[in-house]
Amino acid sequence: MAALLIIDDRERLAGMIGRLAGAMACFLEGFGEDGCCTEGISYWEYGFGYYVYFAEMLMAYTGGELNLLQGDKITAIARFPAAVALTSPQSVNFSDCVEQPFLSTGLHSRLYDRIQAPLPMMTRAARFHENATYRFPQMVRNLLWTDPTHFHRPNAEGTYVFNDASWVVDKVMLDGTLFAFATKGGHNNEPHNHNDLGHFLLHAGGETLLVDLGQGAYTRDYFGEKRYEHVNTSSEGHSVPVINGYVQGAGESYRGIVREADIREQTLVVKLDLTEAYPEAAGLSSFSRTFQWTSDLSLGEAELKLTDNFVFRASNNQLAETFISLTEPLIEKGCIIWDGQKGKVVMYYEADLLAAKHEVLSNDANQVLTRVIHRVRLHASKTPHQAEFLFRFRCTSKQS
């Protein structure tokens, strides 16, 4: 973009643009055909945002002859933010993505105007101090491109299956508030990776109550050998079990495979094979996790049934099912209650098989974002060779 503005030698500039076009094509190869950004919407804003800024300037410079905003892959990438946007300003925030990302309102307005990309929910223009890095290309385009007529549009609903990334997101409006469920497979060596295979989110009545902790404090250790000692990145900071004392392994060989993601009789069914998510020492022959997500328009509430099915190589196994929230839970016999400001989730579990414990975790030394993390652990001891555990989540809104 700087070259387009300051280089007068058109022959020299043409050579530079040729090299840049190759670099832009290389950038797009980082996305699958599904358009999912596995680093989350905040990194989508940064990376694809600069791609769009350059593409628009190049198009203007060439009088429309060079248009980098066309093709099925561009369309798929541009649709990603609306698919993962929850009640503003929240989003599905797997990986190193903050729960409430900065949205470049100019960027989203432009993509809607140019290629009719669906809009994430926006309620106001981006503010000057909203992005602490004060990136000039973003700020000036927020001023030039933001269209207030795009504010307060309804949130996108529906089921979004990202086959390449192995993400599934479902969103529905009930009595004027948003309910959503999201889960993921993939592998544990993704960009900005967390060891989070089989992890899930629940958004009830406009509030995320079963959460992803998202981005931890960016330190040398966080991007070094101690990365998975941090609660944000370890599977101990995600809603997945600890099996015979073992957490998920780090590396591409540790995988979660989506075996099914389909609608059956108005119920979304997602089946994950998580056998390869854990090291051999965990003693697993197989581990499958099945989600059944149903919304009830007449009652204005949603329900998630989670079934974990384990086959071990030996008997007398130790298991700790884990659930992560930023809302303090109320533990009763056979149920856990997360009672938020806008929504409520009640989880029913088999009290004769599992013993509940509430743990309060530190915030990973993040001096910028201080918060209390609540982890519920449901312990099962002497688990036999084969075991199945059922959890039922009733999700309601306080605004209806």
Side-chain angles (χ1 to χ4, degrees):
M1 288 187 286
L4 290 173
L5 292 170
I6 65 174
I7 299 296
D8 294 325
D9 185 334
R10 295 181 68 84
E11 185 174 343
R12 181 185 178 206
L13 185 60
M16 297 171 76
I17 291 173
R19 291 181 61 191
L20 286 166
M24 294 297 117
C26 183
F27 165 72
L28 293 178
E29 289 178 7
F31 293 86
E33 295 302 317
D34 60 11
C36 181
C37 179
T38 56
E39 297 168 329
I41 191 173
S42 50
Y43 279 95
W44 181 99
E45 289 265 337
Y46 178 80
F48 192 61
Y50 274 98
Y51 179 93
V52 172
Y53 304 149
F54 172 67
E56 286 295 85
M57 186 179 283
L58 181 64
M59 187 172 178
Y61 184 87
T62 61
E65 289 186 23
L66 294 179
N67 179 11
L68 300 184
L69 285 182
Q70 56 185 340
D72 292 342
K73 194 166 192 178
I74 292 293
T75 301
I77 296 169
R79 288 175 176 166
F80 174 74
V84 299
L86 302 175
T87 304
S88 180
Q90 301 164 87
S91 75
V92 175
N93 65 318
F94 298 137
S95 186
D96 276 343
C97 179
V98 295
E99 184 190 9
Q100 300 184 9
F102 166 83
L103 287 184
S104 302
T105 50
L107 171 62
H108 293 289
S109 296
R110 189 66 161 208
L111 284 170
Y112 178 85
D113 294 339
R114 281 274 283 109
I115 60 173
Q116 293 72 58
L119 288 163
M121 181 181 280
M122 301 185 295
T123 58
R124 57 170 175 78
R127 295 169 179 160
F128 180 75
H129 294 292
E130 201 130 30
N131 189 331
T133 53
Y134 299 100
R135 294 190 173 100
F136 181 79
Q138 290 178 334
M139 290 196 293
V140 73
R141 284 160 182 80
N142 284 333
L143 286 169
L144 295 173
W145 292 351
T146 296
D147 183 348
T149 65
H150 297 330
F151 297 167
H152 300 288
R153 296 203 177 197
N155 217 318
E157 298 180 67
T159 303
Y160 302 88
V161 179
F162 297 97
N163 290 313
D164 296 306
S166 296
W167 288 22
V168 181
V169 178
D170 188 275
K171 303 189 295 180
V172 60
M173 295 294 292
L174 300 174
D175 285 342
T177 62
L178 188 70
F179 288 73
F181 157 75
T183 188
K184 72 180 296 293
H187 62 79
N188 279 342
N189 191 32
E190 295 167 348
H192 282 267
N193 181 69
H194 291 189
N195 290 343
D196 58 357
L197 305 174
H199 175 58
F200 69 100
L201 308 181
L202 279 178
H203 186 83
E207 180 177 11
T208 305
L209 290 167
L210 273 292
V211 306
D212 193 296
L213 298 176
Q215 182 185 101
Y218 278 14
T219 63
R220 179 171 58 186
D221 283 345
Y222 192 78
F223 290 99
E225 293 180 357
K226 296 182 179 180
R227 179 173 179 84
Y228 297 108
E229 295 178 15
H230 294 254
V231 65
N232 293 67
T233 49
S234 168
S235 63
E236 291 204 86
H238 294 84
S239 296
V240 296
V242 177
I243 302 171
N244 283 322
Y246 288 90
V247 296
Q248 292 183 11
E252 193 165 345
S253 62
Y254 295 95
R255 310 186 72 84
I257 302 167
V258 178
R259 298 297 187 190
E260 180 182 347
D262 202 5
I263 303 292
R264 295 185 194 167
E265 299 179 354
Q266 299 182 325
T267 296
L268 171 64
V269 178
V270 181
K271 290 187 176 182
L272 288 165
D273 183 345
L274 298 171
T275 310
E276 298 179 24
Y278 290 80
E280 277 287 315
L284 283 171
S285 290
S286 69
F287 168 28
S288 65
R289 169 165 277 195
T290 302
F291 299 99
Q292 295 172 277
W293 167 251
T294 307
S295 55
D296 191 322
L297 293 172
S298 63
L299 294 177
E301 61 184 51
E303 181 182 79
L304 176 70
K305 290 181 180 178
L306 186 164
T307 305
D308 280 347
N309 203 305
F310 301 91
V311 178
F312 297 97
R313 294 196 298 271
S315 296
N316 296 326
N317 298 279
Q318 303 294 316
L319 189 70
E321 293 276 10
T322 304
F323 304 95
I324 300 293
S325 182
L326 298 177
T327 301
E328 185 173 0
L330 173 64
I331 297 180
E332 298 180 354
K333 186 174 177 60
C335 77
I336 312 292
I337 302 167
W338 293 276
D339 196 355
Q341 296 181 345
K342 297 179 179 180
K344 183 177 180 179
V345 172
V346 181
M347 180 186 75
Y348 300 94
Y349 67 95
E350 298 161 292
D352 55 331
L353 300 177
L354 297 161
K357 181 181 180 182
H358 170 220
E359 302 169 343
V360 178
L361 307 181
S362 65
N363 192 37
D364 206 21
N366 191 332
Q367 301 301 314
V368 178
L369 178 64
T370 57
R371 57 186 180 178
V372 177
I373 300 164
H374 298 279
R375 180 169 67 192
V376 170
R377 284 247 159 103
L378 298 177
H379 294 270
S381 59
K382 298 183 179 179
T383 303
H385 171 71
Q386 187 167 351
E388 181 177 282
F389 298 94
L390 172 65
F391 307 92
R392 184 166 64 88
F393 301 81
R394 181 170 176 247
C395 307
T396 56
S397 172
K398 292 179 152 186
Q399 302 175 68
S400 57

